[in-house]
Amino acid sequence: RSKHCNSCNVCVSKFDHHCPWVGNCIGARNHRYFFFFLCLISSLTLLVTVTCFRVIKETSIDFEEARENKSTDAGKNDDSTSDEPIILFYTISRLPTVFFMSIFTLLCTWSLTSLTFFHGVIITVAQTTNERVRNVYRDGRRDGVGLDNPADQGCAMNWTNTFCTKIPESRLPKDFSQTVDCLEGRRARDQAIRHAQGNADREDDENDDHEEEEISSSDDDDDDVDEEEVCQDNVEGVFNSQRAAKAVASSVVNGIVYSA
């Protein structure tokens, strides 16, 4: 269930998703805290939305009462139903920031609450967002095709495992302050090439000596075959060393961290 995150450039245990809003991956060590974060921010946006609508309502009521008092003093009895659009326009014109904030937070509340309920569902069935979106397991698929989820131990046990178990320790190194030589891979590659070239030169000298001592043509043919095989092995060794050194160099330059 682990996965390498291209954004964080690390391997994440029980990878759920990479959240750009918190700037981190959600996995085995912080999924519970992310769920608490969703609950709190959903409650906050709901509170702000309700507060904004309450301010708008109280402002409209005050304006309506003021109009009624003014009409009473003037001796007029107007129908207040026809004044509802005027009252609404007046309230919005007086409180434009509150009005637009209420609309914005209402949309945020709907989105965040839906996300919170979605994570509640995947916790109930012991899945991750990555597994749910990809339809890895049979649960949740209409065709009934898929794998059985070995992590699913029932609703109560799944919630207990998510919030009441010990958080696993991080396998990343604790100290990232060590200076890394980015040219180490290139030097290893050059050394491998020089070593392979030296071996090839020695093999060539040995083959020349054997060719002078050999008399029969059959023995000469066998020596030529051996020489070609040795050269081919040396060339393949050089290429393999180059690829390995290049991979090490690119991983160091890009700052790739491998986690077991």
Side-chain angles (χ1 to χ4, degrees):
R1 307 178 75 182
S2 300
K3 185 177 180 297
H4 181 79
C5 177
N6 294 326
S7 300
C8 294
N9 209 14
V10 294
C11 293
V12 182
S13 177
K14 194 181 176 183
F15 177 82
D16 189 87
H17 71 286
H18 178 83
C19 181
W21 304 111
V22 299
N24 197 5
C25 282
I26 308 302
R29 302 185 70 249
N30 60 352
H31 191 201
R32 65 182 68 177
Y33 302 115
F34 180 73
F35 185 79
F36 292 150
F37 170 74
L38 288 179
C39 294
L40 292 176
I41 197 150
S42 299
S43 302
L44 177 62
T45 53
L46 179 61
L47 178 62
V48 174
T49 303
V50 172
T51 302
C52 290
F53 279 114
R54 182 176 179 181
V55 170
I56 293 174
K57 182 179 179 181
E58 290 181 353
T59 304
S60 62
I61 291 175
D62 294 339
F63 176 71
E64 185 177 2
E65 291 178 354
R67 285 177 60 87
E68 290 178 356
N69 294 333
K70 185 177 180 180
S71 299
T72 302
D73 295 339
K76 298 179 180 179
N77 293 322
D78 297 335
D79 189 5
S80 61
T81 305
S82 61
D83 295 338
E84 290 182 358
I86 299 176
I87 296 173
L88 180 61
F89 178 78
Y90 171 80
T91 305
I92 295 175
S93 62
R94 288 290 302 273
L95 302 171
T97 304
V98 176
F99 175 75
F100 288 109
M101 180 62 71
S102 63
I103 301 300
F104 174 73
T105 54
L106 179 62
L107 296 176
C108 291
T109 302
W110 175 78
S111 177
L112 292 170
T113 304
S114 300
L115 183 60
T116 303
F117 278 106
F118 171 77
H119 276 272
V121 170
I122 64 176
I123 290 174
T124 303
V125 296
Q127 294 185 16
T128 63
T129 301
N130 184 48
E131 295 169 346
R132 191 73 174 181
V133 171
R134 294 169 52 201
N135 289 328
V136 176
Y137 300 118
R138 184 179 304 171
D139 183 21
R141 299 188 59 168
R142 296 179 180 178
D143 52 7
V145 179
L147 303 173
D148 292 330
N149 188 0
D152 189 5
Q153 301 179 3
C155 178
M157 198 62 188
N158 292 338
W159 281 84
T160 302
N161 292 334
T162 302
F163 295 100
C164 300
T165 56
K166 183 180 179 180
I167 298 177
E169 295 183 0
S170 176
R171 297 184 180 181
L172 293 176
K174 297 181 179 180
D175 185 13
F176 286 92
S177 61
Q178 182 180 2
T179 302
V180 179
D181 187 2
C182 297
L183 299 179
E184 182 180 357
R186 182 177 297 179
R187 285 196 293 268
R189 180 200 61 186
D190 296 338
Q191 183 179 1
I193 293 174
R194 288 194 299 269
H195 180 71
Q197 289 177 348
N199 291 335
D201 294 338
R202 286 193 297 271
E203 293 292 338
D204 291 338
D205 295 337
E206 292 178 359
N207 290 331
D208 292 339
D209 294 338
H210 286 298
E211 287 178 358
E212 293 177 356
E213 295 176 355
E214 293 294 338
I215 299 174
S216 62
S217 60
S218 58
D219 294 338
D220 292 336
D221 294 337
D222 294 335
D223 291 338
D224 293 336
V225 172
D226 294 338
E227 182 181 357
E228 291 178 357
E229 292 178 354
V230 170
C231 293
Q232 184 176 2
D233 292 337
N234 291 331
V235 171
E236 290 179 355
V238 172
F239 288 159
N240 291 332
S241 300
Q242 290 177 351
R243 286 195 293 266
K246 188 179 294 183
V248 172
S250 62
S251 64
V252 171
V253 172
N254 296 327
I256 297 177
V257 178
Y258 295 96
S259 176

